[in-house]
Amino acid sequence: MKRIFPISLFLLLGFFTACIEEEEFENLEPVNYTGEWGAPLISSSITFGEVLNRYEEENEVPVTITIDEDNVYHIIYKDSIESPELETYYQIQDIEYQSSFGIPDNLKTKLPASIPFPLSITENFDTTLYEPMSIPLDFDGQEINNAELKYIELDGGDLNVVINSGFEHDLELEMTIHALVKDGQPLVLPITLAHSSNGTQKTVTESLDGYRLDLTATGTTLDTIQVDVAVEFTTIAGNSITPTDDITIDFSIRDLDYYAIVGKLGEFDIELEKGELPIDIFDSELENVDAKLDEPFIDLKFTNYIGVPFGVDFTELSLTNASDERVDIVLSDGSEINVDYVRNIENLGDSVITDYNLTDETTTNVNDAFDIAPNQFNYELLARVGSDENPDFFLHADAKLKVLLTADIPLSGSLSNYEFEDTLDIDNGFFGDAGSDTSLVESAELRLFMNNGWPITLGLQGYFMDENNDVVDSLFADTEGGYYNFIQSGAIDDNGFVVNPNTQTTIIKLDKERYNRVAQATKLRYRLNFNTGEAGEKSVKILSTYKLGVDISGKVKLDASLNDIEE
Amino acid sequence: MRKYIIVCASLLLSIMSFAQRENTLFMLPSLSQSTYVNPTSIPQHKVSIGLPIPSTYFHVTNSGFSFSELVDGNTLDYNKLTDVLGDDNLISTGAQVDLFSLRFKVRHNYFSFNVTEHVDFDFSYPKDLFGLALSGNASYEGGTIDLSGLKINMSQYREYGFGYNRDGKRWQYGGRVKLLFGKANVSTVNSDITIDVADETLNHTINANLQLNTASPLPLPTDLATLNEDNLDSLLDLVNEEDLILNSQNWGLAFDAGVGYKFNRKLEFSASLLNLGFIRWKQNARNYTFEGDAAVTGVDVLPALLDNQELDGDSIADVFIEKSVATGTEESYTTRLTYQVNLSARYQLWKSTHVYGLYNIMHFKRWRGAFTVGVSHDILRYVSIALSNTSYHGEAINVGLGLVLKPGPFQFYIVGDNFDSLLRPVSPSNLTEKTFALRIGMNLVFGRVMPEDKLQTTIR
């Protein structure tokens, strides 16, 4: 019994008293961690159709994308300029004339020189005044020549008639102004002049809103105002009648506003503000670019709201690019382009479009002008009115001239040496924090898989730079002409269509040393070189279904002690 | 310091014994706790009372590898894991605390009652889980990371056990009915997960068919995507200790049953079935289904650039949750206990010395067997000792020891499997164990069942 407990205690302690070889554990050295981790970084694809749809929806410059019967895309830029409403420029000055008339001769013989008391005689006589005149017109301050008007529809203005009578007798006048017609009836003004020894004056004013100023004298003449005056003459006993007694009428039409003018409208020029149409697909610095578009289309549509035809002189018609190169659009013989005849409307309120296509390469140099990859079309023009003399031409007050310019850029052609260079700040380091410990990384690998169904070749080179702008490494070691073509054009047939996508794999390996250099870089200067087709030599066509697939994956192999990982 | 952490972590993973597999305890029938592994065990005392302190059982298992397999001289080469791991590996750990136990004899009948708190964690993992961590996903390029078999069952529950056994001339019968009350559970079903890693692009395609069930006082949202740090804190505020301790919403039932046969005075056989039962989880039950294919590819940069959108890459976890998780449901679910079958034989070598043979199989995902031979010896009525060896998980030698001391009414005990490494110098190359289990505690015992000179321990 006495031995049992010590023995048992010994056994119990035996469970826990096995010798621990602490030194062996202390000397145990874990191997470095050498796992290799990878991840898909980019997996993306995009069709040309998607690009163009976004471009159409979101571009600052409004564009329209269309597809022609050959499935070729067209980017259509439009711009318009228009003249102000014509009443701003085409203006009628005040019309004034004066006419005098006395007692007609047949009446003079009937009347005594002096009217005896208590005799009072009443007689009537009429006179008609035809006044051919040039209606005073000007266009933006310049006199309009060779205008002969038929009528003017008025929506404002005042008629002012001042009648002076030299008779010492009472007069009842009824002026019928046939030149002013409202609701088919001429304007009639009854005017009473009471006798006075010093003559009598009477002024009558009438608003002309709603009147037509008919300048035909109710016939076929132009620029003529007809006024009939009927006079009832009542003598005053004791007063004399002299042969020189007369009636003077000062007739003026002032402050005219019109809404329509009909007749020979004269000669005037409408100058439109300069138009500039951005063509932003080429909106880059393209110093050495060689571009060739297949049949770019430039079209001018003149919308005429005026009932008179006109011709157009272009004071500027040119293309310029981002490098300020400029090519004037001219006829193939080098002469300036003018439009001889822009049609007029037939009815008030209509509009008529005259289309003028600049594109025909047999007549203009538009095709060649696009070789500079222009980013802007510049145009300025003068509309010349008055070459015809038709008395039925017309204009209305709010009529104007509108010019719509359409530049239709077919995505068909070639482009080469489109180069772009920029520097990215990578302050945080290419792989994260610049300056951080990169010793955990044994190697890294960046893999680019391109499946290119676009007819483009994209060359790239990048240079990693440190804070002093010293190049520490480059993106690609082997380049041709300074670029590595990491996107190669799909195979193109004779018609310019991609028949087979190009698949290309590029692997960028970074050993430990190179990884460390790149990791310390704070800037990446990169250059892009863009060519259509294989080297920009083939004309290519863009289809909506062309697809570019990009897959980029990266792997990093670690070699680190557990202490390194902990830190 | 880090080195020690690594070593200790590795040790923890490399020692173990399978879930509640206590083969040495089987050889100590003087302990009332032996009925937990052998329902037909006939005690030596009329009354046995177990107290919560320190009546505790702890076990940890890692079937995949032992620490020594990673050691090469003075080098700890964890890359060897990919060589030594099997296709299906298990980490299991757990603890039992007897809050109270009582066993007493009435004529030839023995009645028992126990209240035991269980915490179990079983994690089954495939070889590729470590392969992925150690080699990185790049090593699977063009292949598949197979995480099928990734299974977890984490439970806390309380057991109220009512036992009975009877000692006959030839036959012994025993059994226990166990009322179970679950406190918390996280478990998976249908855990098929593979990740295809594409050649060159390294695009990952996750193919998942997994259901994760949870039940706890924590009312988790049905939509996991809405769970974040903030609302988790507010959910935790809703939980109190009373919910955890007294929760009776998740009830279950389990049985132990056994039968023994005395072939003659020296040779006995027994067979038993343990832990055949279930728990029905109802409290805040949530079922999260991860099903379908989800692709993890690179950033779709080109349309994003066109639209001037910020580039945002999703992590694998983001994609997995976003694309695979259906809105969770709130269906109750059932988990089964890890049941075992014991077949044993006992032979009385000398008066107080017995030799044992025990074949134990248990089921977690699949049947897992172990064979144990051992010897027990009683020294008077004060000491019982047992020595065993168990072969399992491809390991031939796993030494177990048991010691029971009985000064007066006190019965102190310590029983464990896989103690052999502690009986020899503990060095990196000697840590060959994959399991470790230890039961330690104290009972109060009263009244010998048989006179000392006639004391016989029997295999039940």
Side-chain angles (χ1 to χ4, degrees):
Chain A
M1 177 66 192
K2 288 181 180 176
R3 285 177 293 173
I4 290 174
F5 283 106
I7 292 170
S8 302
L9 188 60
F10 174 77
L11 287 170
L12 186 62
L13 291 174
F15 281 132
F16 307 105
T17 54
C19 172
I20 298 175
E21 301 290 350
E22 190 174 339
E23 191 175 344
E24 288 191 32
F25 283 105
E26 195 172 322
N27 293 332
L28 203 57
E29 194 64 41
V31 297
N32 275 9
Y33 181 77
T34 56
E36 187 174 25
W37 292 88
L41 303 177
I42 290 174
S43 181
S44 190
S45 65
I46 197 162
T47 65
F48 228 111
E50 290 173 299
V51 174
L52 291 175
N53 285 341
R54 300 286 203 298
Y55 180 64
E56 184 177 21
E57 290 167 5
E58 299 171 9
N59 198 44
E60 289 182 7
V61 178
V63 294
T64 305
I65 309 290
T66 62
I67 305 175
D68 68 16
E69 63 273 13
D70 295 325
N71 285 326
V72 174
Y73 269 111
H74 292 249
I75 300 178
I76 297 172
Y77 296 89
K78 290 184 177 178
D79 183 52
S80 65
I81 54 175
E82 61 184 32
S83 69
E85 294 174 345
L86 276 186
E87 66 177 348
T88 309
Y89 296 123
Y90 197 101
Q91 293 178 331
I92 305 169
Q93 303 301 313
D94 293 345
I95 301 169
E96 295 186 6
Y97 78 94
Q98 186 181 68
S99 183
S100 300
F101 57 94
I103 299 173
D105 292 341
N106 60 338
L107 191 56
K108 284 180 181 174
T109 57
K110 290 171 63 177
L111 296 173
S114 171
I115 304 301
F117 287 103
L119 186 59
S120 177
I121 302 168
T122 298
E123 291 289 349
N124 296 311
F125 63 86
D126 296 338
T127 186
T128 298
L129 307 175
Y130 292 95
E131 190 64 30
M133 62 180 65
S134 291
I135 300 298
L137 302 170
D138 71 63
F139 191 89
D140 198 19
Q142 300 294 317
E143 186 179 350
I144 297 175
N145 297 319
N146 300 323
E148 288 184 282
L149 301 185
K150 200 170 187 178
Y151 61 85
I152 304 169
E153 301 286 358
L154 301 173
D155 56 7
D158 295 314
L159 169 67
N160 197 44
V161 179
V162 179
I163 300 172
N164 285 286
S165 170
F167 293 94
E168 297 179 1
H169 305 277
D170 292 343
L171 296 174
E172 292 284 340
L173 276 70
E174 184 179 86
M175 290 185 67
T176 303
I177 306 172
H178 294 280
L180 289 168
V181 180
K182 191 174 190 179
D183 299 329
Q185 299 298 317
L187 176 62
V188 177
L189 298 176
I191 302 168
T192 300
L193 292 169
H195 75 280
S196 169
S197 58
N198 299 322
T200 306
Q201 185 180 70
K202 187 82 174 187
T203 300
V204 178
T205 301
E206 181 75 18
S207 171
L208 298 181
D209 187 11
Y211 280 92
R212 167 185 286 188
L213 179 58
D214 186 346
L215 300 169
T216 62
T218 67
T220 57
T221 59
L222 303 173
D223 270 1
T224 300
I225 291 176
Q226 178 188 346
V227 179
D228 287 346
V229 182
V231 182
E232 184 180 280
F233 181 81
T234 302
T235 60
I236 304 297
N239 289 352
S240 61
I241 298 174
T242 61
T244 57
D245 286 345
D246 63 0
I247 300 168
T248 303
I249 298 176
D250 288 296
F251 182 95
S252 64
I253 299 174
R254 295 175 182 169
D255 302 328
L256 283 181
D257 285 331
Y258 64 89
Y259 68 89
I261 299 176
V262 178
K264 299 176 185 177
L265 297 176
E267 295 174 358
F268 56 90
D269 296 337
I270 304 172
E271 187 175 353
L272 281 70
E273 285 188 10
K274 184 178 180 180
E276 293 176 343
L277 173 63
I279 306 172
D280 64 349
I281 59 166
F282 298 118
D283 199 7
S284 297
E285 297 287 340
L286 303 167
E287 293 181 357
N288 301 311
V289 72
D290 183 11
K292 187 70 179 175
L293 286 177
D294 295 338
E295 299 178 359
F297 180 85
I298 301 290
D299 178 69
L300 288 163
K301 285 185 170 57
F302 300 94
T303 305
N304 191 2
Y305 298 86
I306 311 172
V308 59
F310 55 85
V312 172
D313 290 345
F314 289 101
T315 51
E316 179 166 9
L317 197 60
S318 67
L319 289 165
T320 52
N321 68 13
S323 303
D324 292 332
E325 288 182 87
R326 171 192 168 115
V327 177
D328 289 327
I329 308 299
V330 294
L331 294 172
S332 49
D333 63 3
S335 59
E336 291 181 355
I337 293 173
N338 292 311
V339 181
D340 292 333
Y341 185 76
V342 174
R343 289 185 293 153
N344 58 294
I345 59 173
E346 300 291 338
N347 299 296
L348 200 66
D350 287 350
S351 64
V352 63
I353 294 174
T354 300
D355 203 350
Y356 190 80
N357 180 4
L358 294 174
T359 304
D360 186 347
E361 62 182 309
T362 61
T363 57
T364 73
N365 65 338
V366 164
N367 231 26
D368 295 336
F370 269 88
D371 290 356
I372 65 167
N375 70 340
Q376 185 166 289
F377 192 96
N378 312 290
Y379 62 109
E380 188 171 18
L381 55 84
L382 199 65
R384 292 175 287 100
V385 179
S387 57
D388 289 325
E389 294 185 352
N390 185 332
D392 292 320
F393 287 155
F394 60 88
L395 60 86
H396 55 281
D398 56 359
K400 56 190 174 185
L401 170 63
K402 190 172 178 180
V403 182
L404 173 67
L405 174 67
T406 302
D408 182 335
I409 313 297
L411 295 184
S412 171
S414 62
L415 188 71
S416 60
N417 295 323
Y418 184 124
E419 294 183 342
F420 182 77
E421 182 171 333
D422 200 0
T423 300
L424 289 176
D425 282 330
I426 44 176
D427 294 337
N428 292 328
F430 195 66
F431 299 113
D433 296 335
S436 63
D437 183 13
T438 56
S439 62
L440 304 180
V441 177
E442 175 65 19
S443 62
E445 190 173 292
L446 203 60
R447 303 186 291 187
L448 301 84
F449 308 98
M450 302 292 170
N451 189 297
N452 183 23
W454 291 19
I456 60 167
T457 296
L458 194 63
L460 171 68
Q461 177 59 295
Y463 299 97
F464 296 98
M465 300 187 298
D466 62 16
E467 292 175 347
N468 301 317
N469 292 332
D470 293 329
V471 174
V472 295
D473 209 329
S474 62
L475 197 55
F476 300 103
D478 300 321
T479 60
E480 188 174 332
Y483 295 98
Y484 174 79
N485 289 335
F486 82 109
I487 295 178
Q488 295 271 13
S489 169
I492 299 167
D493 67 10
D494 292 338
N495 296 317
F497 293 106
V498 175
V499 288
N500 282 312
N502 181 285
T503 302
Q504 180 169 324
T505 300
T506 301
I507 297 178
I508 302 171
K509 294 193 174 195
L510 298 96
D511 57 20
K512 191 177 186 73
E513 190 180 342
R514 190 180 179 203
Y515 181 89
N516 288 336
R517 286 199 304 269
V518 172
Q520 304 306 319
T522 57
K523 293 176 185 172
L524 173 65
R525 191 174 81 231
Y526 67 94
R527 298 166 56 202
L528 286 170
N529 177 279
F530 179 91
N531 294 299
T532 55
E534 284 129 16
E537 295 168 355
K538 269 189 176 177
S539 177
V540 300
K541 291 182 170 61
I542 302 297
L543 297 183
S544 63
T545 53
Y546 287 167
K547 186 175 183 179
L548 170 66
V550 179
D551 284 281
I552 299 178
S553 61
K555 291 201 297 187
V556 173
K557 185 171 179 57
L558 304 174
D559 185 6
S561 71
L562 295 176
N563 286 331
D564 291 337
I565 293 173
E566 181 192 29
E567 291 164 9
Chain B
M1 181 60 189
R2 166 151 292 278
K3 201 180 298 179
Y4 285 110
I5 293 172
I6 295 163
V7 169
C8 292
S10 302
L11 276 170
L12 190 66
L13 286 173
S14 64
I15 59 177
M16 99 88 209
S17 103
F18 256 28
Q20 301 178 19
R21 178 178 273 162
E22 297 182 79
N23 292 355
T24 307
L25 178 63
F26 200 95
M27 299 165 194
L28 292 168
S30 60
L31 288 176
S32 65
Q33 284 76 9
S34 67
T35 58
Y36 296 165
V37 293
N38 182 9
T40 65
S41 176
I42 300 299
Q44 296 174 344
H45 300 92
K46 292 179 179 175
V47 176
S48 173
I49 300 172
L51 298 173
I53 299 174
S55 297
T56 301
Y57 167 71
F58 167 77
H59 74 97
V60 58
T61 296
N62 176 21
S63 71
F65 60 95
S66 66
F67 185 75
S68 62
E69 289 174 313
L70 310 182
V71 175
D72 185 6
N74 287 332
T75 303
L76 176 63
D77 187 359
Y78 35 76
N79 293 317
K80 287 184 174 181
L81 277 173
T82 55
D83 298 328
V84 301
L85 284 174
D87 291 334
D88 180 20
N89 310 278
L90 178 70
I91 290 174
S92 175
T93 185
Q96 296 173 17
V97 177
D98 281 341
L99 301 177
F100 177 74
S101 67
L102 170 66
R103 191 159 115 155
F104 56 93
K105 182 186 178 201
V106 180
R107 297 175 63 84
H108 293 289
N109 304 303
Y110 296 88
F111 299 91
S112 65
F113 172 68
N114 67 288
V115 181
T116 306
E117 196 76 13
H118 292 255
V119 178
D120 291 327
F121 170 77
D122 298 320
F123 176 59
S124 174
Y125 63 94
K127 180 178 185 175
D128 279 356
L129 185 66
F130 274 93
L132 176 64
L134 293 171
S135 303
N137 62 345
S139 63
Y140 291 88
E141 185 175 354
T144 298
I145 302 168
D146 188 357
L147 300 179
S148 297
L150 201 63
K151 186 173 182 181
I152 190 169
N153 185 16
M154 193 160 48
S155 297
Q156 180 188 352
Y157 63 94
R158 184 169 301 151
E159 169 191 317
Y160 296 89
F162 301 92
Y164 168 78
N165 56 0
R166 180 180 175 83
D167 187 13
K169 285 189 176 180
R170 283 275 180 185
W171 295 89
Q172 294 85 39
Y173 309 95
R176 177 182 284 106
V177 177
K178 297 186 277 193
L179 288 176
L180 309 175
F181 293 97
K183 309 302 179 189
N185 174 258
V186 177
S187 57
T188 56
V189 290
N190 300 327
S191 55
D192 293 331
I193 302 173
T194 59
I195 303 173
D196 297 326
V197 183
D199 197 18
E200 296 184 335
T201 63
L202 293 175
N203 288 339
H204 289 53
T205 304
I206 306 166
N207 312 289
N209 181 15
L210 169 73
Q211 183 175 321
L212 177 70
N213 294 327
T214 68
S216 71
L218 197 66
L220 291 173
T222 53
D223 184 359
L224 267 188
T226 64
L227 188 63
N228 56 45
E229 196 172 326
D230 292 336
N231 59 26
L232 183 59
D233 286 343
S234 58
L235 290 175
L236 286 170
D237 290 340
L238 300 175
V239 181
N240 58 48
E241 293 77 4
E242 192 177 342
D243 287 335
L244 198 61
I245 296 169
L246 301 178
N247 174 26
S248 60
Q249 295 181 49
N250 310 307
W251 67 271
L253 197 60
F255 300 94
D256 298 339
V259 59
Y261 177 72
K262 297 174 186 172
F263 185 75
N264 55 38
R265 286 196 57 178
K266 290 183 178 284
L267 183 60
E268 299 175 7
F269 300 96
S270 72
S272 56
L273 175 63
L274 308 176
N275 283 331
L276 186 63
F278 66 92
I279 299 176
R280 183 73 174 164
W281 299 93
K282 291 181 178 177
Q283 186 192 31
N284 297 319
R286 301 288 185 270
N287 326 102
Y288 302 103
T289 303
F290 302 78
E291 190 170 17
D293 299 337
V296 181
T297 62
V299 179
D300 194 5
V301 64
L302 296 176
L305 285 175
L306 270 184
D307 293 337
N308 288 323
Q309 294 174 347
E310 286 189 12
L311 302 180
D312 185 16
D314 290 331
S315 69
I316 289 178
D318 290 339
V319 172
F320 186 66
I321 289 176
E322 180 184 338
K323 297 186 177 178
S324 300
V325 180
T327 300
T329 59
E330 299 182 4
E331 301 293 327
S332 301
Y333 62 95
T334 302
T335 58
R336 289 185 303 185
L337 302 189
T338 304
Y339 51 93
Q340 303 179 35
V341 175
N342 288 327
L343 300 172
S344 70
R346 187 180 83 156
Y347 183 75
Q348 184 178 14
L349 200 57
W350 296 296
K351 180 181 177 184
S352 298
T353 304
H354 295 83
V355 292
Y356 292 79
L358 171 64
Y359 181 64
N360 166 275
I361 52 174
M362 58 179 291
H363 191 271
F364 180 74
K365 280 185 62 185
R366 60 181 175 82
W367 288 104
R368 301 164 194 266
F371 182 69
T372 302
V373 293
V375 59
S376 69
H377 180 69
D378 296 327
I379 304 171
L380 300 181
R381 58 180 179 178
Y382 304 108
V383 177
S384 298
I385 57 174
L387 175 66
S388 71
N389 181 69
T390 302
S391 299
Y392 48 13
H393 311 319
E395 296 293 320
I397 307 298
N398 295 282
V399 176
L401 287 173
L403 175 63
V404 180
L405 299 178
K406 187 192 162 299
F410 299 100
Q411 186 182 47
F412 300 99
Y413 60 91
I414 179 166
V415 188
D417 295 300
N418 312 91
F419 273 12
D420 46 324
S421 64
L422 300 180
L423 297 175
R424 60 179 183 263
V426 180
S427 67
S429 57
N430 280 343
L431 286 173
T432 58
E433 288 69 27
K434 295 181 177 178
T435 69
F436 178 77
L438 178 68
R439 180 177 289 276
I440 188 167
M442 181 196 78
N443 296 322
L444 294 174
V445 292
F446 307 97
R448 294 286 291 177
V449 171
M450 287 181 284
E452 184 180 336
D453 58 349
K454 295 183 178 178
L455 178 65
Q456 294 184 22
T457 53
T458 53
I459 297 178
R460 308 296 175 187

